[in-house]
Amino acid sequence: MDFKHLIGEVLLDKFSNIRTVVNKAQIIENEFRNINMELLSGEPNFEVLVKENNNQFAFDFSKVFWNPRLSNEHNEIVKKTNHGDLVYDVFAGVGPFAVPLAKRNVMYMQMI
C-alpha cells in the first residue's frame, strides 16, 4: 500500500487504454451495493463501457454494482427463457438480464 500511487502511475504509463486507476477502498456494505474507490492515478472519471455476452452496458462504475464474475450466471438464466416467458428482476441494476432478454423477445418486468 505504500507504493499504490506509484503503481497507479506505472499502469497509466505502460497501458495506453487505461485512463483511471483506482483502489477498492473497502468491502461493499451500503444499501446501493456500489464500491467505495480511492483514485490512485489518472482522471476521476468512472464511466465505463462493459461488453458481456454480445451486449454492451455503459455506466458510472462508482455508482453502480457490477460483478464481471456473474457473466456466466447472466447467460445461463437468459438461455433458460423462451419467447412469451415473463421474467421479474428485482434490483435490476444496469440490466444484465433485461438487455439480453429483450433481444430474445421475452417479457420482462423490472422491480425496484
Side-chain angles (χ1 to χ4, degrees), residues 12 15-21 39 41-49 59:
L12 282 179
F15 298 97
S16 61
N17 61 333
I18 295 177
R19 64 176 190 261
T20 305
V21 179
L39 180 66
S41 188
E43 306 169 23
N45 180 353
F46 306 108
E47 295 286 332
V48 296
L49 177 64
F59 54 89

Side-chain angles (χ1 to χ4, degrees), residues 5-46:
H5 294 285
L6 178 60
I7 292 169
E9 289 296 325
V10 169
L11 288 170
L12 282 179
D13 183 55
K14 298 298 178 193
F15 298 97
S16 61
N17 61 333
I18 295 177
R19 64 176 190 261
T20 305
V21 179
V22 298
N23 180 35
K24 186 171 93 171
Q26 53 186 299
I27 62 171
I28 301 169
E29 49 186 30
N30 60 51
E31 65 183 299
F32 300 109
R33 295 189 49 80
N34 53 346
I35 299 172
N36 292 323
M37 293 181 284
E38 171 189 18
L39 180 66
L40 297 181
S41 188
E43 306 169 23
N45 180 353
F46 306 108

Side-chain angles (χ1 to χ4, degrees), residues 31-33 63-64 87-98 108-112:
E31 65 183 299
F32 300 109
R33 295 189 49 80
K63 297 178 181 174
V64 175
V87 175
Y88 289 91
D89 187 2
V90 179
F91 307 107
V94 300
F97 294 109
Y108 174 84
M109 296 194 68
Q110 180 174 328
M111 309 287 288
I112 297 179

